[in-house]
Amino acid sequence: MKSGVKLGLGGGCHWCTEAVFQAVDGVHKVEQGYISSREPYDTKSEAVIIHFSDLSILEKIIDIHLQTHSSTKEHSRRHDYRSAIYYFDEEIKDRIEGVVISLSRKRNEKYITHIIPFLSFEASRESIQNYYKTRSDAPFCKRYIEPKLEVVKEMLKDYGDAQINK
């Protein structure tokens, strides 16, 4: 298995996505910011770059991503919150596509999530990075992030993980 894998993930607010993946065992680093790809996805959209242990947890990562944002329907803010998995290595693209197809069948969902190449990243300003970890009592965190963390907690049980990372 390849060690030291990274993916870009976009879908919802990057504060939420950051908190979700900081809670997943095997994810070593989460960078919050804005990602762009090639046309027609060349505008920057809120996203994170996650660094994780190896491809053995790829399905878990993608499943959690698809279940913790609006990955099955369009909405008026798609420009800011593109549902996407950004790959850094062409070799992993087919594997990502296979996982998404498999999860689509398993969950009986039609995902609109784009699997597209990573082109550029701009980090969020430092004052909003680690948003949940630095202000977990904020109303936004209580309303939006904590329900997603509950979804992650339940999903991790299915993957044999005992609990979320704090």
Side-chain angles (χ1 to χ4, degrees):
M1 288 283 158
K2 187 173 185 174
S3 182
V5 183
K6 65 182 179 175
L7 289 177
L9 300 171
C13 168
H14 52 200
W15 297 347
C16 295
T17 311
E18 174 189 62
V20 161
F21 287 99
Q22 286 176 332
V24 176
D25 192 37
V27 174
H28 304 299
K29 181 179 178 184
V30 181
E31 299 174 79
Q32 180 204 115
Y34 306 86
I35 295 179
S36 66
S37 185
R38 295 187 292 232
E39 286 190 81
Y41 310 110
D42 54 335
T43 57
K44 287 190 169 42
S45 182
E46 289 193 24
V48 298
I49 297 174
I50 64 165
H51 302 255
F52 55 101
S53 54
D54 60 63
L55 289 175
S56 68
I57 65 169
L58 183 65
E59 180 179 330
K60 175 173 73 173
I61 295 287
I62 293 173
D63 198 12
I64 289 168
H65 178 57
L66 295 173
Q67 299 303 312
T68 55
H69 79 282
S70 181
S71 61
T72 60
K73 54 188 157 242
E74 293 294 346
H75 56 73
S76 62
R77 301 282 316 270
R78 266 299 164 222
H79 185 267
D80 297 319
Y81 304 121
R82 180 181 305 122
S83 181
I85 301 170
Y86 301 90
Y87 58 89
F88 288 79
D89 184 342
E90 192 71 37
E91 292 177 20
I92 198 172
K93 179 184 177 193
D94 291 339
R95 191 152 180 187
I96 294 167
E97 289 172 343
V99 168
V100 171
I101 290 167
S102 174
L103 290 170
S104 178
R105 289 181 186 134
K106 176 181 176 182
R107 302 252 182 234
N108 197 28
E109 296 283 1
K110 182 173 175 21
Y111 297 114
I112 61 163
T113 305
H114 302 285
I115 301 167
I116 51 182
F118 171 87
L119 185 64
S120 70
F121 177 76
E122 178 184 326
S124 299
R125 64 187 184 278
E126 197 167 323
S127 64
I128 63 169
Q129 292 177 19
N130 295 301
Y131 193 84
Y132 182 73
K133 285 187 173 193
T134 59
R135 46 182 80 72
S136 62
D137 289 333
F140 180 90
C141 296
K142 296 291 185 192
R143 182 171 182 184
Y144 296 105
I145 296 175
E146 288 188 358
K148 290 176 189 266
L149 292 175
E150 285 302 313
V151 169
V152 172
K153 191 175 183 179
E154 289 304 309
M155 290 183 74
L156 290 177
K157 289 178 188 175
D158 292 339
Y159 283 96
D161 292 351
Q163 61 190 11
I164 62 174
N165 292 332
K166 296 286 180 183

